[in-house]
Amino acid sequence: MMIIVGVFHMAAGLAAIVENKFFVVTADYLYAFDVTGWGWIHLIVGLVVLLAGFAVFSGRLWALALGIVLAGLSAIANFLFLPYYPLWSLLIIALDVFVIWALAVHGWKVKA
């Protein structure tokens, strides 16, 4: 699931970098960021989450802890991305919550 979340992040990042007008910002939000900047953030976070997803397959404790931390950071980044693409952000937040739960409850079983 982390690998899928990473790919989703990278897809959103590439869409924001290549086509700046793809995302529409609603008015009157507390914060406003540049869409291209968000694209680079999503691309980098996506790559890191993707690589951490492959590291989780090792079953090592550091990889599981890194996966939980990165899924939390991914959820926070997508919460801040809500004004730009709400349904996509909510989907990735839901996947991040599932990843955190799966790694915390069943992560130690990966190596076995």
Side-chain angles (χ1 to χ4, degrees):
M1 290 303 277
M2 283 186 70
I3 296 168
I4 292 170
V5 169
V7 170
F8 284 175
H9 262 291
M10 291 171 59
L14 285 174
I17 292 169
V18 172
E19 185 58 47
N20 219 3
K21 306 286 186 228
F22 181 75
F23 297 103
V24 178
V25 181
T26 57
D28 298 330
Y29 256 80
L30 182 61
Y31 52 89
F33 298 107
D34 181 43
V35 175
T36 306
W38 269 118
W40 284 106
I41 290 170
H42 276 286
L43 190 64
I44 292 168
V45 168
L47 182 63
V48 172
V49 169
L50 178 82
L51 294 174
F54 284 115
V56 166
F57 284 130
S58 70
R60 299 183 194 269
L61 183 60
W62 66 266
L64 299 175
L66 181 66
I68 291 171
V69 169
L70 288 177
L73 291 175
S74 170
I76 292 169
N78 276 289
F79 177 76
L80 294 173
F81 197 63
L82 274 172
Y84 301 96
Y85 208 17
L87 293 176
W88 188 258
S89 294
L90 289 174
L91 171 71
I92 297 178
I93 290 170
L95 289 174
D96 286 331
V97 169
F98 178 73
V99 165
I100 291 169
W101 171 81
L103 290 176
V105 174
H106 302 289
W108 60 274
K109 298 177 188 176
V110 171
K111 195 166 188 171

